[in-house]
Amino acid sequence: MDAKTYPLQEILKPERRYVIPTFQRDYEWTLEGQWRLLFDDLETTADRLLAARQSDAEGTRPRSKEQDISPHFLGAIVCANLPFPTGGVALRSVIDGQQRLTTVQLLIRGLLDVLQQNGSERSKAVRRMLFNPDDIVDQPEEVHKLWPRRRDRGVWQIAMADHAPESEGHLYLEARAYFAERAREYSMNENAVVDQTALTALADALSSLFKLVVIDLDDNDDAQVIFEVLNGRQTPLSAIDLVKNLLFLRAEQEDEDVEALYDKYWSQFDDTWWTETVGRGHAARGRRDVLLSVWLTAALGEEANVGHLYREARKYLSAGTSTEDALQDLNRFGMAYQVVYGKLPAPDRRLAVSYERLHALDITTADPLLTWLATVSPERLPLEHQLEAVRALESWAVRRTFAGWQTRGYGGLLAKVLRTSKDALNTGANIPHTIKLALRDNALTWPKDADLRHAFSSRQFYKSVSQSRIRLLLGSIDQLLRFENPHEPDANIDYSKLQIEHIMPRAWMEHWPLMDGGGETMVADAGNPEWIVRSSARDRIVDQLGNLTLVTGSFNNDVSNHPWHVKLPEFRKQRSLALNYDVATADVWDEDQIATRAHYLADMAIRIWGPPPPHSED
């Protein structure tokens, strides 16, 4: 990145064009918001210049005071170099600062009106800040130093024309008229005659004392990061917006029908659903940026760096992908992503259930693989094969979650699985089988049945697993039980709204006494080693999965800590949940019942989320 401060004349007089990307926001600066303040600053700067010149003329100092005049800083613009024909006019894309640079051009145009009307000797120099020489341009529009979005180009040419247009109807025209009027007023003396000295000072102050910080990006700079720094107190620039600008600017340069491309491939992203923020904390970002990450991961075959999405996208696009191919691919991934997240219907309810479960686990690193699978045509990946692949991923993720195994490294592994799957598609290999083997044979391997049984029997789920994931687990088991029972009526249960209940309460000491080996009630005694061991074991087991269940809003929470004979009738009322049938038929509830139920729940989970494929030696 090259960041330097330049007077306006050094930025605008050289033979170059500043191009505003087609789909930047509308020009929004106004009289009350910015124009008046900008010209007030120009007047103040010109006053200082006039005072210095008057002092020089009077000989009060041996050298010019003009060198000591403080310049006025207009802020910064960020530009990226664009390819241009050898011998042609240099091109720069205005990535940030289009409002500022556009307003400066309109200010120059308004001032030039007054200069030309009064035959000022500064007219030619100021004009060079608006137009390139006719003898170096190939196309008529190349004379303009600033070239706005496609939809504004017609009115821009009117706003820049020597014939002053009517000021009504567009902010460009109104700004030019306003700045011309202010320049005229500033130059008038007490006799209502233009003072050439004042007019010249105004032109020189604008050319030499108005300065901009120009940040030129090179190929290694990341516009996304730079923008987030520059706009730290504003809304951070979206990486997908940068990519959009880059794509459509390329389309313009390739003389494509930009509007048609937009309507065909990009218009879906204007839906407000895409602008919503997803994720939490430092991972929060707009859905379109998430899609960009998903698309790049699938395209590159490696995990995209979310902090440098624009740089990675630019690198990928510069490798030879055509603009329309990239737009078409992004559109295809956008449609598939909406299916994965339930915005559009899945081709099979079973797929939708798997997507919902994976979302409940919040494993977003699976999104590139899920989305890519959804983009493959049924001719190349039949629906049953897609379902088998997604269910394999679901089983791997669910089992690792409830076994308590680490999640670090998921992004890299799943990107590798995606890359392997794409190779399988290209060679005609079986994709579900390829995914299963890739998930089994790695450092983050697929838990076996024994691993799951051990976790269900020993792990303190309530302390170590989020409540949303516990609801996912118990709700899925309830769904299976309901499905397999022909006497169960259809029901649409939102398990995320149910309450997790400890069957034996955590506050067990008052109503759930420990019994010694002889069947006698043990007295709480911190000095009794047996009490310490037994009570500590119970504190652990009450948070294990076998002691947890779901209850509906009809469950009386007032009885939660009461004895079993008081709680039991409440469980018998929970007829809408098949998950509680075994609990409601228990005569007692103790450590043995909890252990038995843990094995039962493990059996159910193993049936829902099948095991990894066996090794040959298995």
Side-chain angles (χ1 to χ4, degrees):
M1 180 178 69
D2 181 27
K4 293 182 179 178
T5 302
Y6 300 97
L8 284 182
Q9 62 182 357
E10 292 185 25
I11 299 169
L12 296 174
K13 283 185 178 179
E15 297 163 359
R16 63 171 67 110
R17 299 174 67 214
Y18 292 91
V19 180
I20 307 297
T22 298
F23 291 95
Q24 286 262 28
R25 61 192 174 101
D26 291 339
Y27 178 69
E28 297 174 345
W29 281 19
T30 61
L31 171 61
E32 298 303 325
Q34 292 85 17
W35 302 346
R36 177 177 286 116
L37 292 174
L38 178 61
F39 204 92
D40 288 347
D41 291 333
L42 178 58
E43 281 191 348
T44 301
T45 307
D47 286 343
R48 292 200 301 269
L49 180 59
L50 278 172
R53 287 176 172 174
Q54 183 179 8
S55 177
D56 281 345
E58 294 172 354
T60 57
R61 292 185 60 179
R63 65 182 181 86
S64 173
K65 286 187 176 181
E66 291 186 31
Q67 304 300 317
D68 299 331
I69 298 174
S70 299
H72 176 74
F73 289 94
L74 294 168
I77 61 172
V78 181
C79 300
N81 290 323
L82 294 174
F84 59 92
T86 302
V89 180
L91 289 175
R92 301 226 177 131
S93 174
V94 182
I95 303 298
D96 189 41
Q98 64 124 338
Q99 303 280 336
R100 180 175 288 105
L101 192 57
T102 300
T103 306
V104 165
Q105 285 277 285
L106 293 167
L107 170 57
I108 295 170
R109 179 65 261 191
L111 174 60
L112 181 59
D113 287 343
V114 181
L115 293 171
Q116 290 176 328
Q117 290 164 5
N118 291 277
S120 172
E121 60 182 12
R122 293 292 192 268
S123 296
K124 290 183 179 180
V126 171
R127 185 180 177 82
R128 284 202 299 274
M129 293 196 289
L130 294 176
F131 304 106
N132 289 307
D134 292 338
D135 59 351
I136 68 161
V137 302
D138 295 324
Q139 301 296 328
E141 67 270 12
E142 291 181 354
V143 300
H144 295 279
K145 291 292 176 73
L146 181 72
W147 197 230
R149 306 177 309 166
R150 177 182 288 264
R151 62 185 293 182
D152 295 331
R153 289 172 185 171
V155 70
W156 182 256
Q157 293 179 78
I158 295 172
M160 291 293 109
D162 282 331
H163 173 69
E166 294 292 331
S167 63
E168 298 295 328
H170 198 283
L171 287 174
Y172 289 166
L173 308 180
E174 293 174 10
R176 171 179 173 173
Y178 171 76
F179 289 131
E181 183 59 29
R182 286 290 303 271
R184 194 173 292 109
E185 290 175 358
Y186 179 83
S187 306
M188 292 286 188
N189 59 24
E190 62 274 9
N191 298 317
V193 176
V194 169
D195 182 343
Q196 290 288 348
T197 302
L199 188 57
T200 299
L202 203 61
D204 292 349
L206 181 62
S207 300
S208 302
L209 296 177
F210 262 36
K211 295 188 176 183
L212 273 171
V213 176
V214 180
I215 301 173
D216 284 315
L217 306 183
D218 60 33
D219 290 339
N220 295 319
D221 290 327
D222 194 319
Q224 180 186 359
V225 173
I226 292 169
F227 269 101
E228 288 182 358
V229 172
L230 290 176
N231 298 288
R233 296 187 179 181
Q234 304 171 29
T235 303
L237 191 71
S238 166
I240 192 71
D241 284 333
L242 287 171
V243 171
K244 176 183 70 174
N245 292 340
L246 176 62
L247 284 168
F248 285 106
L249 189 59
R250 280 179 32 164
E252 282 191 332
Q253 293 170 347
E254 295 163 3
D255 205 25
E256 300 278 358
D257 187 338
V258 174
E259 301 298 336
L261 289 175
Y262 187 91
D263 291 340
K264 186 175 182 180
Y265 298 122
W266 197 271
S267 57
Q268 66 157 312
F269 300 123
D270 291 335
D271 190 291
T272 54
W273 185 82
W274 282 107
T275 63
E276 294 172 359
T277 299
V278 294
R280 296 184 297 273
H282 70 280
R285 62 192 66 247
R287 275 200 179 95
R288 292 188 302 176
D289 273 8
V290 174
L291 173 67
L292 179 60
S293 176
V294 164
W295 175 64
L296 284 172
T297 298
L300 299 172
E302 57 186 35
E303 187 178 11
N305 187 328
V306 295
H308 301 281
L309 289 177
Y310 176 67
R311 183 174 67 189
E312 295 198 4
R314 187 175 59 190
K315 180 180 178 181
Y316 171 70
L317 293 171
S318 66
T321 303
S322 75
T323 302
E324 184 164 7
D325 285 347
L327 285 167
Q328 185 177 23
D329 210 32
L330 256 175
N331 177 270
R332 190 164 55 97
F333 268 77
M335 300 296 287
Y337 184 84
Q338 291 181 76
V339 172
V340 170
Y341 273 87
K343 179 71 162 51
L344 295 176
D348 190 289
R349 175 58 189 163
R350 295 170 295 173
L351 268 177
V353 170
S354 289
Y355 292 150
E356 290 167 4
R357 288 172 176 170
L358 284 164
H359 300 332
L361 295 179
D362 198 26
I363 301 177
T364 57
T365 46
D367 288 350
L369 178 56
L370 292 172
T371 306
W372 175 78
L373 286 168
T375 66
V376 183
S377 68
E379 291 75 23
R380 304 187 72 188
L381 181 66
L383 177 60
E384 290 300 322
H385 282 200
Q386 182 190 358
L387 180 61
E388 185 181 353
V390 172
R391 280 183 161 177
L393 178 60
E394 178 192 346
S395 172
W396 172 84
V398 167
R399 283 179 171 238
R400 286 190 62 87
T401 295
F402 294 124
W405 293 4
Q406 71 169 15
T407 60
R408 187 181 301 110
Y410 274 19
L413 170 65
L414 293 175
K416 181 180 178 182
V417 174
L418 195 160
R419 187 167 63 247
T420 305
S421 302
K422 290 175 69 176
D423 291 341
L425 180 68
N426 293 331
T427 59
N430 184 286
I431 292 177
H433 185 63
T434 299
I435 289 176
K436 289 177 181 179
L437 295 183
L439 292 173
R440 184 195 67 183
D441 301 331
N442 64 84
L444 300 171
T445 190
W446 196 335
K448 298 181 179 180
D449 291 353
D451 300 316
L452 211 56
R453 293 184 191 280
H454 175 73
F456 277 41
S457 299
S458 61
R459 191 179 182 202
Q460 291 181 279
F461 268 65
Y462 195 77
K463 286 186 175 180
S464 58
V465 180
S466 70
Q467 295 199 15
S468 63
R469 293 180 174 183
I470 294 174
R471 290 188 185 94
L472 162 68
L473 173 57
L474 296 177
S476 299
I477 292 173
D478 184 75
Q479 285 178 317
L480 176 63
L481 293 171
R482 296 180 65 82
F483 176 76
E484 293 184 339
N485 187 343
H487 303 295
E488 279 292 332
D490 291 336
N492 186 16
I493 301 173
D494 185 353
Y495 294 99
S496 68
K497 299 294 177 59
L498 300 186
Q499 172 187 331
I500 297 173
E501 176 71 13
H502 287 76
I503 304 171
M504 179 186 290
R506 303 182 91 189
W508 53 266
M509 200 168 295
E510 182 178 358
H511 297 299
W512 297 69
L514 284 171
M515 312 302 289
D516 62 19
E520 299 293 327
T521 300
M522 294 186 69
V523 177
D525 182 0
N528 181 350
E530 184 180 1
W531 166 261
I532 294 173
V533 172
R534 294 281 304 281
S535 62
S536 296
R538 175 165 282 188
D539 285 339
R540 288 193 299 273
I541 203 169
V542 293
D543 283 333
Q544 290 178 8
L545 188 64
N547 191 49
L548 303 178
T549 194
L550 298 176
V551 293
T552 67
S554 65
F555 189 86
N556 185 359
N557 292 318
D558 292 338
V559 305
S560 288
N561 294 328
H562 282 61
W564 179 235
H565 71 273
V566 176
K567 291 192 73 172
L568 182 58
E570 290 297 321
F571 281 109
R572 288 175 177 166
K573 295 177 184 177
Q574 296 284 303
R575 296 186 183 90
S576 61
L577 293 172
L579 178 69
N580 290 325
Y581 289 176
D582 63 327
V583 178
T585 58
D587 294 327
V588 296
W589 196 261
D590 55 18
E591 284 81 353
D592 290 339
Q593 289 287 82
I594 293 172
T596 299
R597 188 164 181 269
H599 287 294
Y600 170 71
L601 295 177
D603 287 341
M604 295 296 102
I606 287 168
R607 291 177 58 198
I608 298 169
W609 297 291
H615 292 277
S616 56
E617 60 269 22
D618 295 339

